[in-house]
Amino acid sequence: MNRRFIVAYDIGVDRVRRRIALALQGHGVRLQRSVFVVESSQHELARLMTRLDAEALQSDDRLMAYPVVENAGLTPAWQSRQRATRVPDYWVL
């Protein structure tokens, strides 16, 4: 069963950071420079994260994945002046 995950990274080496970003673009949607939403099974995510972790990460680099709570029934704590055109089907907490 597929779930959504937030994948974020903090990587110091530009070359490695670009490779991680390109790999994640093939698996998800970029939210920010180093944050993606990936939809996959737990097994597929584990394979992806293991492959990305092997990309010569330094000891102070970080690569993290967090599950997204689906249909939590939450309303935004803050919303910009632009009106949302649709209600999102997931929330980042």
Side-chain angles (χ1 to χ4, degrees):
M1 178 172 105
N2 282 356
R3 294 185 60 192
R4 286 191 178 112
F5 298 89
I6 299 295
V7 179
Y9 56 85
D10 182 14
I11 298 173
V13 178
D14 290 341
R15 179 181 51 84
V16 175
R17 188 172 47 246
R18 281 191 297 272
R19 285 200 321 249
I20 298 286
L22 284 173
L24 287 171
Q25 284 175 339
H27 293 276
V29 176
R30 183 177 240 155
L31 295 180
Q32 294 180 351
R33 285 185 86 83
S34 60
V35 180
F36 288 79
V37 173
V38 174
E39 189 165 330
S40 73
S41 69
Q42 185 82 31
H43 178 70
E44 290 168 344
L45 179 73
R47 281 193 329 204
L48 173 64
M49 297 300 284
T50 299
R51 184 171 63 96
L52 295 178
D53 195 40
E55 290 284 341
L57 297 180
Q58 304 296 313
S59 62
D60 58 342
D61 290 342
R62 298 291 173 256
L63 176 63
M64 299 139 310
Y66 302 97
V68 175
V69 177
E70 301 286 342
N71 301 320
L74 302 173
T75 57
W78 183 86
Q79 185 174 351
S80 69
R81 289 178 291 209
Q82 295 178 343
R83 300 286 181 203
T85 57
R86 69 177 187 86
V87 175
D89 53 357
Y90 62 92
W91 294 93
V92 177
L93 300 178

